[in-house]
Amino acid sequence: MVKNVSLDAVDQKLALAKQCSHEGVVAGAKAAVVASVGTAIPIYAFGKMSPWAKTYLNPTAKALIISTAAGMAYFVVADKTILKIERQNSFKQN
């Protein structure tokens, strides 16, 4: 069975999806910045103080640790933000 859907309803849903994804990107970017700073300071301090870290953690390893934390924070926060907003919007439309 084919359901008739007006173009206005489709445009409204598309606009809502764009707004939702934009808010997720902004929240994820903020979380990535916080995670980068939050991991960079201890990683570089640990690299200066610990003999093990001086020996085994080169600058590439430190950058990899920081970028991994930032990437994880971005995707987790963006996903949670998008899901939260979509859940709120699903209750409004029904």
Side-chain angles (χ1 to χ4, degrees), residues 9-86:
V10 173
D11 287 341
Q12 182 182 10
K13 286 185 179 185
L14 183 62
L16 193 60
K18 284 182 181 180
Q19 176 191 4
C20 178
S21 63
H22 177 72
E23 289 181 25
V25 167
V26 170
K30 288 179 184 178
V33 168
V34 171
S36 294
V37 172
T39 56
I41 294 169
I43 289 294
Y44 284 116
F46 184 67
K48 296 285 184 186
M49 290 187 269
S50 170
W52 180 87
K54 283 182 186 178
T55 306
Y56 294 109
L57 291 181
N58 61 11
T60 304
K62 293 175 187 175
L64 183 62
I65 293 168
I66 294 165
S67 64
T68 302
M72 288 177 11
Y74 174 83
F75 284 112
V76 168
V77 171
D79 186 48
K80 285 185 174 272
T81 302
I82 290 170
L83 290 174
K84 180 182 82 171
I85 294 169
E86 286 298 323

